[in-house]
Amino acid sequence: MSSYALDNLLPYADPGVQVDGAFGLRVAAVQNTDLHLTRVNSDSRLIIRGIPGTRWQHELSARWQELDEGGNPPLWREPVLSSFEREDQVKHPRVRNGERELAWLGSGLLRRIALFHKSSSAYSTRSWITGGEWIFELDTRRDVPLDHDTLLARLMDPVWGLSLRISDSHCTCHNPPLPDRYMRQCTYDLVHTEGKPGGLQIRFRHGRAIYGRNVREDLERVGADSAWLDRVLPQRLADDSSEAFE
Ligand SMILES: [Zn+2]
């Protein structure tokens, strides 16, 4: 996971084409299993804490070497915006403007990241961006009650939440039950209350645990909080073999 994070986050140049990774992101420090990230011309810090045994320095060196040998200059040690990044800004204004337009949402969500495990019944949260929209897919196991109202209420809380309102929704909670092999989904579209560009779609899925056979065991092994696990992935009874993990 640490190597996956670095592959996706750290900026590097594809000379003459574009800059990949998070534009302007820099590595500020490594302290044990903490990776401190910052941005050019900023004092802000984002700390990514790895599980015990994470070797950030080793991963950083490996990533540096891999890019360097492939002819892709790594940019995360540059003290200022590199010439590659400046050139990219000029060549791809639409891409960079699109990113900036979603920044209020990314920043707001990052500052409330704990909501996704404290206020949700999902054991898995994934997200991606497409066409100016941030899509989240939250999976709740069938034998755990699906709760989407708590998370939505906190995301839109008038004091602590983001300036969001629901623009569209489709809730299937009161529909007749589906056969076991199907997943049920409730979908909520959220937009900025004052019309800023960019929106959020949250797909609350309810069904079989589809990500791996031994999700709970995998999460226990990397030190996941046991109270959280008991809530979102409770142990099954020994004779409960009616629903296979698939
Ligand atoms: Zn629903």
Side-chain angles (χ1 to χ4, degrees), residues 148 171-173 186:
H148 45 54
C171 173
T172 62
C173 287
C186 300

Side-chain angles (χ1 to χ4, degrees), residues 200-219:
L200 189 61
Q201 181 176 85
I202 312 185
R203 302 172 183 172
F204 297 93
R205 309 199 306 171
H206 198 207
R208 291 188 300 187
I210 56 168
Y211 294 114
R213 238 181 124 66
N214 304 308
V215 187
R216 178 166 175 132
E217 289 75 6
D218 288 345
L219 289 167

